[in-house]
Amino acid sequence: MGFNGLLDLSVMQMILVLLGMTHVTIISVTLYLHRHSAHNSLDLHPVLKHFFRFWLWLTTAQNTKEWTAIHRKHHAKCETEDDPHSPVVLGIKKVLLEGAELYADAATPETLERYGQRTPEDWVERNVYSRHKGLGVVLMAVIDLALFGVHGIWMWALQMMWMPVWAAGVINGLGHWFGYRNFECADNARNISPWGLLIGGEELHNNHHTYPNSSKLSRRWYEVDIGWGYIRLFQLFGLAKPKGYRPIAHHVPGKQDVDVETVQAIANNRFDIMRQYRKRVMEPVLRQQKALMDEGIRPRYRKLRRLLSKEVSLIHPREQETLETALEKHDILRQIYDKSHELQALWRQRGLKPQEKLQALMQWCKEAEASGIRYLEEFAAHLRAYSLRPAL
């Protein structure tokens, strides 16, 4: 066997092998644990599922039920005291440095019982993966030492660090702290990078929190979700079947009548609708008003641009003062701001019947078209063209 193990590789070759193995771990997490188990947005062939389970047992000692339950609780309680790993609540330093420990602390019997449904409970899970969680990583250490000799020590150590650093720390930490937002979802999730290559596409965290049941995490033409690439590859061989990644709302040019399907399409596509409202109404109106702003407000133009479309629950009280000052001095900004929240009430207000939602949308469009604000009038016409069915 010798100093360099059975394979007798150079250091550079061992680094490449290590990167390959950690990449398999990343893909196992994003495809199997995340998209398949936690969100049920992806069906996987039994052979592929068991390969991922086995590999994660070897390289992370991660239990499917625990990971799934904790992640589901994260979505259900996001950015609250009950969120297992929110940097908004716990601080970015703690989540970055103690992400794995937070996972371990969150794996209580109550959490597993409530959020761990529909996870594997077969003989292998009960008698090997769950009963002997630490045995897998010990076996991985033996394999690394046999294949790479003494170098297997640092290779194994890096394998063990990979998920606590990148998933538990970076995604759960930076993914709720730093980056850009395509959509104003109700939590602080952000896209760390538009190119999801290093962490399997999980970099697109704001997209995921906006559409958690989509197996595709990229939403813009320039965004890359490498996990989606693997899904398509596996799909060619009958090993994977994505679910719920296509939009069910369609824009039908020429459609002018508001109907129940229009309401349903807008509600189902609500985050993108509000992104369009920001681009089509808020930003052009704000540009027009910039010249009319007094010296006290104009320096805060960029912040005001962000606050007008920011999720209300995420606005800091000090920011709320800035926003209210601008709205009090500019009636047209107040008007488009209020209309945005009236539109959101269509899907946020509980208990409304479909016919009541239809009447509310018709009234919204009527008032927008009579507002005298060109951008608002055009957006009302834009909304009328939505349907659940594509144009024929």
Side-chain angles (χ1 to χ4, degrees):
M1 184 166 68
F3 183 82
N4 289 328
L6 294 173
L7 297 182
D8 195 23
L9 301 178
S10 67
V11 173
M12 182 54 67
Q13 287 174 323
M14 284 187 281
I15 291 174
L16 293 175
V17 170
L18 175 64
L19 290 175
M21 291 193 295
T22 53
H23 185 69
V24 173
T25 302
I26 290 286
I27 297 305
S28 300
V29 171
T30 185
L31 264 57
Y32 170 67
L33 287 179
H34 194 191
R35 307 186 205 202
H36 167 73
S37 183
H39 293 288
N40 193 31
S41 65
L42 175 68
D43 284 336
L44 294 172
H45 190 279
V47 172
L48 194 57
K49 279 193 291 187
H50 202 99
F51 167 77
F52 286 145
R53 285 169 65 192
F54 176 67
W55 185 259
L56 289 167
W57 179 66
L58 285 177
T59 59
T60 68
Q62 188 66 63
N63 175 274
T64 301
K65 187 167 189 172
E66 286 183 2
W67 196 99
T68 299
I70 293 166
H71 186 74
R72 287 173 180 168
K73 183 176 182 180
H74 163 62
H75 276 267
K77 307 293 184 180
C78 199
E79 319 298 21
T80 69
E81 294 290 340
D82 293 324
D83 188 335
H85 43 67
S86 170
V88 175
V89 176
L90 301 173
I92 184 63
K93 182 179 178 181
K94 186 174 183 65
V95 179
L96 276 175
L97 299 180
E98 302 177 37
E101 289 82 353
L102 292 174
Y103 260 93
D105 293 341
T108 63
E110 294 78 14
T111 296
L112 299 187
E113 176 65 26
R114 181 172 181 181
Y115 298 101
Q117 305 300 316
R118 302 182 307 279
T119 52
E121 295 182 355
D122 53 19
W123 185 93
V124 177
E125 188 68 38
R126 294 193 309 272
N127 294 281
V128 181
Y129 298 153
S130 294
R131 180 175 294 180
H132 305 290
K133 288 197 299 182
L135 180 60
V137 295
V138 173
L139 181 57
M140 190 75 247
V142 173
I143 293 171
D144 283 344
L145 287 170
L147 295 179
F148 311 112
V150 70
H151 295 285
I153 298 173
W154 61 264
M155 294 181 71
W156 178 84
L158 288 173
Q159 281 181 284
M160 296 304 105
M161 291 172 54
W162 208 253
M163 289 314 298
V165 170
W166 289 107
V170 174
I171 294 300
N172 294 336
L174 291 183
H176 285 263
W177 190 262
F178 169 82
Y180 70 97
R181 286 166 67 87
N182 279 331
F183 309 100
E184 283 301 316
C185 57
D187 54 66
N188 204 44
R190 298 173 178 274
N191 294 330
I192 300 173
S193 164
W195 307 295
L197 301 173
L198 186 61
I199 323 178
E202 299 294 337
E203 294 91 331
L204 298 164
H205 207 55
N206 171 251
N207 294 359
H208 167 61
H209 269 254
T210 303
Y211 298 101
N213 297 321
S214 174
S215 54
K216 182 181 181 181
L217 304 189
S218 56
R219 288 285 159 177
R220 299 284 166 262
W221 65 267
Y222 53 84
E223 293 176 340
V224 178
D225 170 16
I226 194 173
W228 177 247
Y230 280 108
I231 290 172
R232 284 305 209 184
L233 177 63
F234 291 138
Q235 191 176 12
L236 287 176
F237 296 97
L239 298 174
K241 182 181 179 181
K243 301 188 292 187
Y245 67 93
R246 291 190 180 97
I248 64 171
H250 299 274
H251 196 260
V252 183
K255 181 178 179 293
Q256 298 179 354
D257 296 327
V258 177
D259 51 31
V260 173
E261 282 201 4
T262 309
V263 179
Q264 293 173 335
I266 290 172
N268 279 284
N269 203 36
R270 56 191 179 275
F271 292 106
D272 193 61
I273 292 294
M274 296 316 301
R275 185 188 68 84
Q276 293 180 41
Y277 189 89
R278 183 184 77 232
K279 295 289 186 182
R280 292 169 175 259
V281 180
M282 286 183 167
E283 292 184 0
V285 168
L286 189 57
R287 283 195 296 269
Q288 286 183 342
Q289 292 295 301
K290 185 177 182 181
L292 304 176
M293 292 179 180
D294 59 39
E295 295 300 323
I297 297 177
R298 196 178 301 168
R300 302 178 182 178
Y301 171 82
R302 185 170 295 179
K303 176 179 283 190
L304 181 60
R305 179 170 174 259
R306 178 174 57 84
L307 291 176
L308 280 171
S309 58
K310 189 173 182 179
E311 163 63 31
V312 175
S313 63
L314 300 177
I315 297 179
H316 190 274
R318 194 175 301 167
E319 294 178 323
Q320 187 66 45
E321 292 179 13
T322 299
L323 179 60
E324 284 298 327
T325 299
L327 295 178
E328 288 174 5
K329 294 184 177 181
H330 297 272
D331 289 340
I332 190 170
L333 292 184
R334 168 66 74 180
Q335 192 170 354
I336 64 169
Y337 184 75
D338 288 345
K339 294 302 288 182
S340 74
H341 288 278
E342 290 172 15
L343 184 58
Q344 292 177 66
L346 284 174
W347 53 80
R348 287 188 167 176
Q349 192 170 340
R350 302 295 182 184
L352 287 181
K353 298 178 180 179
Q355 200 61 33
E356 292 174 326
K357 291 183 179 181
L358 173 59
Q359 292 299 320
L361 179 59
M362 292 174 66
Q363 183 65 26
W364 191 95
C365 289
K366 182 179 179 180
E367 293 175 359
E369 290 165 344
S371 66
I373 304 173
R374 177 167 64 90
Y375 300 108
L376 199 52
E377 296 171 13
E378 292 174 351
F379 193 76
H382 176 74
L383 287 184
R384 289 179 180 274
Y386 270 94
S387 176
L388 292 176
R389 304 171 191 184
L392 299 176

